[in-house]
Amino acid sequence: MKQLTTDFGNPIASNQNSLSAGELGPLLLQDYQLIEKLAHQNRERIPERAVHAKGSAAYGELVITEDISKYTKAKVFQKGEKTPLLLRFSTVAGEAGAADAERDVRGFAIKFYTKEGVWDLVGNNTPTFFLRDAYKFPDFIHTQKRNPKTHLRCANAAWDFWTLCPESLHQVTILMSDRGIPASYRNMNGYGSHTYSFINSNNERFWVKFHFKTKQGIKCLTNEEAEQIIAKDRESHQRDLYENIEKGNFPKWSVKIQILSEEQASKLEFNPFDLTKVWPHKIAPLIEVGEMILNKNPQNYFNEVEQAAFSPSNIVPGIGFSPDKMLQARIFSYPDAQRYRLGANYHQLPVNRAKSEVNTYNVAGAMNFGIGDNLVNGAYYEPNTLGGAVENEMYLEPDLVIKGNANRYKAVDNDYYTQPRNLFNIMPEDEKQRLFKNIAASMQGVKEEIINKALKHFELIHPDYANGVKKALCK
Ligand code: NDP
């Protein structure tokens, strides 16, 4: 058996009995082992994520089976390339102890450990989002969280906000549809959601969206089924993912992209960088790219899942950003959240660490393990004549043409209804009925004037949508 030690490796004689003055006496301050144990316990929790607090993750691999080199030079997307990854699923609004089978958007955040550094794709199980400008993001999240006075979740706040921000109607329709409660993380699609750019070896830019289609088939729960599950098991998604991977039943997703040239994008009737909109398949058909598999459970949930930190700012050559205003804000706010939650050197934690070489002049800071701070030839500043790591202009992106004057622009596209209508129209009749029921259920306790405002919006999506919800509200 191994010798039990303190955190500094000093052998421990007793882990059962504290050091006391006499058999019945008070404890001694000298008992540093007891103090270390209690003090460490007080520090076992770190701030939970303000959003996506409850999550499950697994390791796996991305395999590229098709040649898409005409769109991107990124090594991770070259045919035959295999890239290890960590995929973290989550619910968005609930706290770390929330039940898995709640109606909510699901996070679908993937960390690819590529040969050119870490690439994080911070997606969801929905191709869209409630907002298109992150200025509204903190307010939106407040409506999803607890009311500060009652400390209860507040349907009135959610519907008040949604009806005043009708760009959210598309995402609300997805959320209230069957897909608002996936049966498990294995049975849902993932979407990069934002528009990103691809850059090929000729330095040409394309706009791209990422899709991960479940090979387990889409399976969803009704409100009633979810309630039954939650009554017995708050960890149903975690259990399903963990147990299936332990059994060797590895979940898979086919990986697809949509591509638009810069010219095609400039001619669209809607803003291709608006996160509340999809690119209809007719305009940008899905292109097969490869397959993603999850095949290994983390060994330690806290170390590898709670401490996993994802950010769209982790990007690799051949993949870039877009003018999507939500993406632009997440590039700042995600790493900022991780610096707050985990500290300045969170990138050095094993789960977050690049598997390729890191050479940086960022040094020191709390909990520094010296990863990447190689100080090549003793160079700790740059530029230097010591032969330290240097930049390479071959990674510069092509010019992005920007037009206009700086100002706080309102979105020009006020068509909040066409895309939710397209979705409504493809729903089979029984799903439409469940959509009405789910919306009516979510409106319990909502003020009449707000419900009426919502009905007016539904009417503009489709008269059947408004009538269906009206009827469901009367039941
Ligand atoms: P298509 O008929 O070509 O595509 C319909 C898409 O809808 C499919 O990707 C399907 O996903 C998905 N879908 C079916 N039921 C639901 C649901 N309840 N919630 C969310 N997605 C669902 O038409 P369009 O490309 O013109 O899109 C029509 C509407 O479909 C859009 O307005 C949008 O709401 C939704 N959608 C579109 C996507 C896109 O990228 N174009 C992606 C996902 C949804 P699957 O193949 O997995 O069954």
Side-chain angles (χ1 to χ4, degrees):
M1 287 236 239
K2 287 201 170 158
Q3 169 67 51
L4 180 69
T5 71
T6 65
D7 290 350
F8 288 91
N10 314 124
I12 286 178
S14 169
N15 196 36
Q16 321 301 324
N17 309 310
S18 41
L19 196 63
S20 57
E23 193 181 353
L24 303 178
L27 303 183
L28 298 181
L29 184 60
Q30 177 191 321
D31 191 352
Y32 66 92
Q33 292 168 4
L34 170 68
I35 289 170
E36 180 177 287
K37 203 169 174 179
L38 296 180
H40 198 277
Q41 186 194 21
N42 283 343
R43 291 159 178 79
E44 279 180 1
R45 297 290 174 272
I46 57 174
E48 70 173 40
R49 293 163 168 90
V51 284
H52 296 275
K54 175 82 184 287
S56 303
Y59 295 101
E61 192 176 60
L62 171 72
V63 182
I64 305 302
T65 53
E66 310 304 318
D67 181 1
I68 57 160
S69 56
K70 65 178 171 182
Y71 300 123
T72 180
K73 63 182 176 188
K75 287 206 174 118
V76 61
F77 279 115
Q78 298 315 304
K79 190 172 176 186
E81 188 70 11
K82 294 182 178 174
T83 304
L85 61 91
L86 175 78
L87 169 50
R88 181 177 183 268
F89 306 98
S90 50
T91 49
V92 181
E95 293 94 356
D100 286 341
E102 286 182 0
R103 182 168 299 281
D104 200 349
V105 173
R106 300 297 189 277
F108 197 99
I110 318 173
K111 185 176 290 299
F112 298 97
Y113 303 95
T114 88
K115 290 176 180 150
E116 297 170 297
V118 169
W119 173 43
D120 286 340
L121 186 68
V122 189
N124 279 329
N125 71 329
T126 60
T128 53
F129 195 64
F130 300 91
L131 304 173
R132 52 190 171 183
D133 188 328
Y135 213 172
K136 292 184 179 182
F137 192 67
D139 291 292
F140 165 65
I141 292 301
H142 292 166
T143 72
Q144 300 297 300
K145 295 280 182 178
R146 293 169 191 274
N147 175 307
K149 185 172 177 203
T150 62
H151 199 55
L152 297 169
R153 300 277 286 275
C154 184
N156 203 66
W159 281 104
D160 193 18
F161 186 89
W162 286 336
T163 50
L164 290 168
C165 299
E167 69 269 29
S168 63
L169 285 172
H170 193 187
Q171 179 82 339
V172 170
T173 303
I174 297 175
L175 176 66
M176 295 298 163
S177 79
D178 286 356
R179 296 197 189 186
I181 318 183
S184 79
Y185 288 135
R186 294 180 306 119
N187 294 110
M188 62 183 207
N189 292 340
Y191 303 90
S193 309
H194 295 291
T195 299
Y196 291 87
S197 51
F198 263 172
I199 292 147
N200 68 15
S201 49
N202 297 326
N203 225 18
E204 294 162 325
R205 177 184 287 110
F206 298 85
W207 302 117
V208 59
K209 281 189 186 279
F210 298 99
H211 298 249
F212 300 82
K213 298 269 189 183
T214 174
K215 291 200 165 177
Q216 292 65 244
I218 298 270
K219 281 193 197 141
C220 308
L221 300 171
T222 62
N223 278 356
E224 295 73 23
E225 287 166 337
E227 279 162 19
Q228 295 269 322
I229 289 172
I230 291 171
K232 294 190 193 128
D233 186 0
R234 298 175 66 75
E235 273 62 55
S236 52
H237 288 12
Q238 164 72 18
R239 193 178 313 286
D240 174 89
L241 183 69
Y242 181 84
E243 289 181 353
N244 274 286
I245 291 177
E246 284 302 292
K247 277 191 283 198
N249 185 22
F250 301 141
K252 292 179 186 158
W253 284 260
S254 63
V255 182
K256 297 170 195 279
I257 51 171
Q258 286 178 293
I259 293 279
L260 287 176
S261 67
E262 288 186 284
E263 202 199 338
Q264 281 174 311
S266 68
K267 290 182 179 154
L268 287 181
E269 280 174 9
F270 61 91
N271 173 5
F273 312 114
D274 177 341
L275 187 55
T276 64
K277 302 231 162 39
V278 295
W279 292 354
H281 293 124
K282 248 189 253 152
I283 294 176
L286 291 172
I287 300 168
E288 192 74 38
V289 169
E291 186 182 81
M292 181 171 72
I293 185 169
L294 295 181
N295 53 20
K296 189 172 164 242
N297 278 314
Q299 296 304 299
N300 183 305
Y301 182 87
F302 181 85
N303 295 353
E304 296 160 68
V305 186
E306 191 60 11
Q307 293 197 121
F310 301 84
S311 168
S313 56
N314 295 332
I315 201 94
V316 292
I319 309 175
F321 307 127
S322 81
D324 175 339
K325 290 182 181 176
M326 287 295 293
L327 173 62
Q328 293 278 321
R330 292 174 91 199
I331 292 165
F332 155 71
S333 76
Y334 276 53
D336 189 54
Q338 306 305 346
R339 282 188 280 266
Y340 164 67
R341 212 168 62 84
L342 299 164
N345 287 307
Y346 70 93
H347 56 282
Q348 297 188 15
L349 292 168
V351 71
N352 298 326
R353 206 180 278 172
K355 294 199 193 298
S356 58
E357 195 172 304
V358 177
N359 297 310
T360 169
Y361 293 93
N362 291 331
V363 296
M367 297 291 188
N368 198 317
F369 298 93
I371 310 292
D373 142 28
N374 293 322
L375 304 183
V376 182
N377 297 333
Y380 57 91
Y381 56 89
E382 206 279 334
N384 62 69
T385 53
L386 301 166
V390 289
E391 68 210 13
N392 188 338
E393 288 191 354
M394 73 179 239
Y395 294 118
L396 280 178
E397 292 190 0
D399 286 352
L400 179 66
V401 180
I402 307 280
K403 281 187 272 181
N405 301 330
N407 215 322
R408 297 184 181 275
Y409 289 95
K410 279 189 191 149
V412 277
D413 178 357
N414 288 332
D415 178 4
Y416 311 123
Y417 309 109
T418 301
Q419 292 209 352
R421 184 180 311 122
N422 293 346
L423 176 60
F424 184 71
N425 285 337
I426 58 169
M427 282 186 195
E429 190 50 38
D430 57 330
E431 185 171 3
K432 282 184 184 152
Q433 293 303 324
R434 287 190 293 276
L435 171 76
F436 306 146
K437 237 175 93 181
N438 295 338
I439 290 179
S442 78
M443 284 179 160
Q444 273 177 30
V446 175
K447 283 184 196 157
E448 208 180 321
E449 70 206 59
I450 294 177
I451 293 181
N452 288 337
K453 221 186 293 169
L455 289 171
K456 278 190 192 140
H457 284 303
F458 299 151
E459 181 78 31
L460 292 167
I461 295 176
H462 198 296
D464 293 353
Y465 194 152
N467 286 336
V469 175
K470 252 185 238 165
K471 275 191 205 148
L473 282 166
C474 294
K475 277 185 189 158

